[in-house]
Amino acid sequence: MTADYGNRHHPTEIRVKRDEKALEIDFDDGQSFRLPAELLRVESPSAEVQGHSPTQKTTVAGRRHVGIASVEPVGSYALRICFDDGHDTGLYTWDWLYRLGADQGQIWQAYLDALAAAGLSRERSATAAASPRGKGSCG
């Protein structure tokens, strides 16, 4: 038996909608969620975004047009999502994805509020757009 790392929710189907820049996921309790790539990227479970405590969370700006380059299963408990901006760290457990879907409205509003409070934008700056993207192990 493989460990599920405490996941209470388990997917029955996962669909990457590259053209629509979204991930659709159906869970075993009948819930289905459509998660925009931008939300997945700015709420990445990586230490780069989340830090090592809630006070260290980074507000990621300029990702309105980010897309999903690839999705890889990690055991039977998570996904590794590679984004077209080169970000590829953080394991999206089934419970993390479920929470993003179930609380999407609140999470999204908190993100917009954090951007506004920091004077940041969802659009990429001219400087960021001109500089080369980091390339993780997404290929």
Side-chain angles (χ1 to χ4, degrees):
M1 182 171 173
T2 48
D4 69 3
Y5 290 82
N7 281 315
R8 293 178 299 149
H9 304 284
H10 297 87
T12 56
E13 188 172 350
I14 299 168
R15 296 170 299 281
V16 177
K17 302 289 191 171
R18 280 188 185 83
D19 292 344
E20 300 164 34
K21 298 184 180 197
L23 180 80
E24 293 178 346
I25 187 165
D26 301 335
F27 285 93
D28 56 0
D29 67 353
Q31 290 290 327
S32 295
F33 303 111
R34 180 181 181 81
L35 302 169
E38 181 182 8
L39 175 68
L40 291 164
R41 174 62 178 89
V42 302
E43 289 296 324
S44 169
S46 68
E48 174 188 337
V49 174
Q50 298 299 322
H52 296 286
S53 74
T55 60
Q56 294 180 337
K57 184 173 181 186
T58 301
T59 301
V60 180
R63 297 300 186 263
R64 178 183 288 242
H65 302 290
V66 74
I68 297 171
S70 66
V71 173
E72 303 168 6
V74 177
S76 61
Y77 66 94
L79 292 178
R80 179 170 156 259
I81 302 175
C82 295
F83 296 92
D84 61 10
D85 68 353
H87 181 76
D88 64 353
T89 59
L91 296 181
Y92 293 78
T93 64
W94 307 139
D95 282 357
W96 187 271
L97 291 165
Y98 193 97
R99 182 188 64 81
L100 284 178
D103 298 335
Q104 189 170 165
Q106 294 169 302
I107 293 168
W108 185 249
Q109 189 58 56
Y111 170 65
L112 295 177
D113 293 347
L115 281 176
L120 299 172
S121 169
R122 291 175 59 209
E123 300 298 332
R124 285 184 71 83
S125 68
T127 307
S131 59
R133 290 188 281 191
K135 187 168 183 168
S137 58
C138 290

